[in-house]
Amino acid sequence: MTTAPKYVEGHNLLRGKSVLVTAAAGAGIGFSAALRAAEEGCRALMISDIHPRRLDEAVANIKAQTGLQQVFGQLCDVSQEEQVQVLINAAEDKLAGVDVLINNAGLGGQTAVVDMSDEQWSKVMDITLTGTFRMTRAMLPFMQQRKAGVIINNASVLGWRAQKEQAHYAAAKAGVMAFTRCSALEAAEHGVRINAVSPSIALHEFLKKASSADVLEQLASKEAFGRAAEVWEIANVMMFLASDYSSYMTGEVVSVSSQRA
């Protein structure tokens, strides 16, 4: 097992850009992506989440760590169309236009197919897949009108790889991949890029609550480095996709993983 690499300092990859990140409160990939965006020099940032206290703490944390004062929080449940519309309109207003949208909201779980209820299946689908669709649908008209913009979706290697008790989550993430490819072709006609990252395993508090310790340890041990990814290692790839360095990339699903799909 190797140790995690040293944290990578910002290089102003997003200088002058505004960024909106969903499900960005707490300690997961979303918060790390928001923090990295500020460290990469974005001019303004909005994060959303469904937890008021955690959202306020995340906004204050990013301000304190980076010195960026144009950081805003907005409550949003991506399974509710009305709240999605409020979020997009608030971001367009507060950020003077959204340059980068990171669709991070998702919901997992660990349930065998024979034990899975319709409600469990539908909830994972509604937040993970349909929530990504709702956010993209609401954001695209603004970006297409400006003939510029980047959308990054958070998928998973489970969209390719089979794993027991993950049928609902894997199906939703495979849907995110397919949605990314198809929507990217439509958006490209208007100068907007849509890509996705596909992490294998990035360990954080939310994941620890959703999966057993034994399963997480087993998955991490199979990785080439013998460890799970740090959340910021996933966020770094998001920053590349958000930056002008990836200007010819669209409709791609980038595997942030040390295993083959």
Side-chain angles (χ1 to χ4, degrees):
M1 175 178 171
T2 63
T3 58
K6 184 179 178 182
Y7 193 82
V8 180
E9 295 183 4
H11 290 76
N12 279 323
L13 294 183
L14 302 187
R15 183 173 55 190
K17 297 183 184 295
S18 62
V19 181
L20 168 61
V21 189
T22 65
I29 293 173
F31 175 78
S32 185
L35 182 64
R36 292 264 54 186
E39 292 171 341
E40 289 294 351
C42 74
R43 61 176 174 80
L45 172 68
M46 178 173 282
I47 62 176
S48 77
D49 208 281
I50 60 173
H51 302 285
R53 178 186 58 81
R54 207 162 66 192
L55 181 61
D56 291 342
E57 289 174 353
V59 169
N61 196 351
I62 293 171
K63 287 182 176 181
Q65 288 193 53
T66 68
L68 179 66
Q69 294 306 301
Q70 291 293 99
V71 183
F72 308 94
Q74 176 70 43
L75 288 171
C76 181
D77 178 348
V78 297
S79 70
Q80 303 300 313
E81 174 63 18
E82 298 82 3
Q83 294 187 37
V84 167
Q85 291 293 335
V86 169
L87 172 61
I88 293 296
N89 288 329
E92 280 289 307
D93 178 48
K94 294 285 189 181
L95 305 182
V98 177
D99 297 314
V100 178
L101 165 64
I102 298 178
N103 283 320
N104 176 67
L107 179 68
Q110 192 172 331
T111 309
V113 170
V114 295
D115 299 323
M116 192 179 299
S117 65
D118 281 10
E119 183 181 6
Q120 285 175 300
W121 174 273
S122 297
K123 189 173 183 180
V124 169
M125 286 290 175
D126 197 23
I127 294 174
T128 305
L129 176 56
T130 311
T132 298
F133 155 69
R134 289 190 189 99
M135 286 296 300
T136 302
R137 178 177 62 185
M139 187 77 262
L140 275 178
F142 294 98
M143 288 184 170
Q144 289 180 170
Q145 186 177 24
R146 291 190 288 267
K147 300 291 184 184
V150 178
I151 297 176
I152 301 160
N153 299 324
N154 194 358
S156 166
V157 292
L158 289 184
W160 292 308
R161 184 190 305 164
Q163 187 174 315
K164 293 179 180 179
E165 300 184 337
Q166 294 290 328
H168 50 350
Y169 184 71
K173 290 300 190 180
V176 169
M177 292 178 178
F179 176 72
T180 297
R181 290 189 289 265
C182 293
S183 59
L185 289 181
E186 298 175 15
E189 300 175 5
H190 305 275
V192 178
R193 299 190 296 110
I194 304 178
N195 293 292
V197 296
S198 178
S200 54
I201 177 172
L203 205 55
H204 53 84
E205 292 304 315
F206 301 153
L207 185 59
K208 290 178 182 177
K209 293 178 181 179
S211 301
S212 70
D214 289 343
V215 168
L216 294 177
E217 184 177 351
Q218 182 182 20
L219 291 173
S221 68
K222 292 180 179 178
E223 297 294 325
F225 295 117
R227 65 173 177 86
E230 299 292 327
V231 288
W232 57 264
E233 291 180 292
I234 311 302
N236 283 351
V237 181
M238 289 179 168
M239 296 304 102
F240 163 69
L241 291 175
S243 77
D244 294 338
Y245 279 106
S246 60
S247 59
Y248 199 64
M249 291 180 67
T250 198
E252 296 293 339
V253 179
V254 180
S255 179
V256 192
S257 166
S258 59
Q259 286 187 343
R260 59 185 174 82

